[in-house]
Amino acid sequence: MGWSGKLWCYVSVMDFNLPDIRTMLRKARVYARKLWVRVVIMGLMAFVALGLAVLLERLVPDELARTLNGQSADRLLQIIANAMLAVTTFSLTVMVSVYRASSSQWTPRVHRLIIQDHTTQNTLAVFIGAYVYALLAIILRELGVFIDKRAFVLFVMTVAVLAVIVIYLIRWVLHLQTFGSLIDATRQIEEVTRQCFKERLKNPCMGANPLTGKVPENARIITANESGYVQVLHPEVMQAAAAAHGKELYLLANIGSFIFLNAPLLAVVDRGAPEKDAEGTDYESLEDALRASIVLGDVRTFDQDPRFGLITMGEVASKALSPGINDSGTAIDVIHRIARILSNYEDETTKTPEDLLDRLYVAPLDPADLLEDAFGSLSRDGVEVVEVQQRLQVTFSGLRWHPDKELSACAREAAEVALERALRACDFAADRERIMTSAEDDVLRAVKERLDAG
């Protein structure tokens, strides 16, 4: 992906008056989750605070300014400088330990989610920012910017910084009580997955037309110039590029799918006269712009990918059922969390986005894929755990009442598959009876007919 394609990606949005706020916010959220961004912001705030102190010091009356000398502020600054270095080192050690423990105990995918924990990042950013503030203030004191006779504002500002430090220390201590625990991890996964579904259902098919049929035969195929997972899409930019060249776009690789080098990525079809470039289509610039709007990476991410959240929750449940852990209660808890998420699912093909991207076609979510992502590995790994199989049957039974007919039908099929697998693996008659009691009558009859047939 060249820089020309990335530049066109931004210029196209401005040229064609596209509502680029969603694209900008999507990119801003990616950076907002990075620790270094918050650290830099807090460091800059330390510079701003001391700059304000220098300006305000000149406005304070002499009588008030001389009530405190520079030595009072010096003691506080030394305390902050010494304490923040030790506290930051301790916090980093705890953070790394939690990351490693969560990866080994639950799943490595949880590690990538915990590393974006807002409380942890904010706390570390405040500690480092306070350390920068103290060092900078000490330097300014040595340079004579803050003189001994007029240190009132510096003292007050330092006390305010201390107050912020104490508040975040308390928050950090309270956060450590659950940080990295199983309940905290599953709650984070559930919340981020629920948010992904909420955004997806607010703009079905990512704001585009649903791709439910075949791609036109006369389509021109754009291939991938690298291998990787489709991490992020910028559909607004793709819409602008299609409108500029008078094209329609069919996305052949949806969010979360792995695509190989030179594999089909997009299909381009002519659609009327272009808004610009009337002399013809510059396919090279079009391909660069479209590739720039599709971010590929070596791992899947939770952004725009609700299926990945379901997969991660299923992995946590499967890991809990491993012989070394043998925690069926965690698996049942995850089943309930997944059920809450899927209960809010809606058919994307029946809804129209608020701002339809009419030149772009994206395949909707498949209910069968959602159920397989969520319960596939859990059903196999917990095939001999009676309590888990019972809860799966109850959950599938509940999802059959879902208003979406396709999800309801897929839930019935999943219930049959899980029940047949469990009955074939379970030899103890009493356990088999408990599992069959939890299944719906029509599911039980269909499975018994297949088992009797051999």
Side-chain angles (χ1 to χ4, degrees), residues 33 38 64 79 143 146 152 235 274 399 445:
R33 298 191 188 102
R38 297 172 187 259
L64 181 61
I79 292 173
L143 294 176
F146 293 104
F152 178 81
L399 291 176
R445 284 195 300 269

Side-chain angles (χ1 to χ4, degrees), residues 381-419:
D381 296 338
V383 66
E384 296 181 355
V385 183
V386 178
E387 295 79 9
V388 171
Q389 293 301 323
Q390 285 183 298
R391 188 49 50 187
L392 280 175
Q393 290 301 320
V394 172
T395 301
F396 290 139
S397 176
L399 291 176
R400 290 182 61 181
W401 292 94
H402 197 281
D404 181 65
K405 295 182 179 180
E406 188 173 357
L407 178 64
S408 175
C410 292
R412 186 189 187 284
E413 294 177 4
E416 290 187 12
V417 172
L419 180 60

Side-chain angles (χ1 to χ4, degrees), residues 109-153:
R109 264 59 65 185
V110 175
H111 164 266
R112 298 212 308 273
L113 188 60
I114 293 179
I115 206 172
Q116 299 175 357
D117 181 70
H118 291 171
T119 302
T120 304
Q121 291 187 349
N122 291 337
T123 301
L124 288 173
V126 167
F127 290 167
I128 296 175
Y131 182 66
V132 172
Y133 170 86
L135 291 181
L136 185 59
I138 292 172
I139 293 173
L140 294 178
R141 283 279 292 144
E142 294 295 331
L143 294 176
V145 177
F146 293 104
I147 61 177
D148 287 335
K149 296 181 179 180
R150 298 182 63 87
F152 178 81
V153 176

Side-chain angles (χ1 to χ4, degrees), residues 182-446:
L182 176 61
I183 295 298
D184 182 63
T186 52
R187 282 175 179 169
Q188 288 191 50
I189 303 171
E190 180 185 9
E191 181 59 30
V192 72
T193 307
R194 187 193 302 274
Q195 187 62 33
C196 286
F197 268 100
K198 182 178 179 180
E199 294 179 3
R200 182 68 181 248
L201 296 179
K202 183 179 180 181
N203 288 288
C205 300
M206 313 201 65
N209 296 302
L211 176 56
T212 56
K214 294 183 179 180
V215 176
E217 295 181 357
N218 61 338
R220 180 188 179 102
I221 302 299
I222 296 179
T223 60
N225 58 357
E226 60 179 319
S227 299
Y229 291 97
V230 180
Q231 293 181 334
V232 179
L233 292 178
H234 299 300
E236 301 85 8
V237 178
M238 300 171 69
Q239 168 77 7
H245 293 86
K247 307 295 182 183
E248 283 185 346
L249 304 177
Y250 295 81
L251 185 66
L252 304 179
N254 214 335
I255 282 287
S257 58
F258 186 85
I259 186 168
F260 292 91
L261 176 67
N262 296 325
L265 183 63
L266 283 163
V268 182
V269 179
D270 290 331
R271 176 187 168 183
E275 295 181 1
K276 294 187 178 181
D277 192 18
E279 296 181 356
T281 299
D282 181 2
Y283 274 103
E284 183 177 354
S285 64
L286 176 61
E287 290 181 7
D288 288 342
L290 294 176
R291 289 193 181 104
S293 63
I294 302 176
V295 180
L296 302 180
D298 59 337
V299 294
R300 294 181 71 167
T301 64
F302 292 95
D303 297 321
Q304 299 181 317
D305 191 359
R307 289 184 58 186
F308 185 55
L310 295 178
I311 292 173
T312 304
M313 296 185 74
E315 289 178 347
V316 172
S318 296
K319 190 65 174 289
L321 294 176
S322 62
I325 299 177
N326 195 24
D327 181 13
S328 59
T330 294
I332 293 174
D333 177 67
V334 171
I335 291 173
H336 291 160
R337 294 180 185 276
I338 294 174
R340 284 201 297 266
I341 294 173
L342 293 179
S343 295
N344 296 323
Y345 171 80
E346 296 181 35
D347 187 357
E348 294 183 277
T349 61
T350 61
K351 296 182 63 179
T352 302
E354 298 176 354
D355 299 315
L356 179 64
L357 306 177
D358 62 320
R359 292 180 178 267
L360 179 62
Y361 289 81
V362 176
L365 295 173
D366 187 349
D369 291 338
L370 297 181
L371 291 176
E372 178 62 27
D373 293 337
F375 302 114
S377 61
L378 175 60
S379 176
R380 291 189 298 271
D381 296 338
V383 66
E384 296 181 355
V385 183
V386 178
E387 295 79 9
V388 171
Q389 293 301 323
Q390 285 183 298
R391 188 49 50 187
L392 280 175
Q393 290 301 320
V394 172
T395 301
F396 290 139
S397 176
L399 291 176
R400 290 182 61 181
W401 292 94
H402 197 281
D404 181 65
K405 295 182 179 180
E406 188 173 357
L407 178 64
S408 175
C410 292
R412 186 189 187 284
E413 294 177 4
E416 290 187 12
V417 172
L419 180 60
E420 183 176 353
R421 180 186 289 121
L423 293 180
R424 289 184 183 275
C426 185
D427 296 327
F428 188 55
D431 289 342
R432 290 167 60 89
E433 185 65 27
R434 290 173 59 189
I435 296 174
M436 289 188 292
T437 303
S438 302
E440 293 286 341
D441 292 339
D442 57 340
V443 172
L444 182 59
R445 284 195 300 269

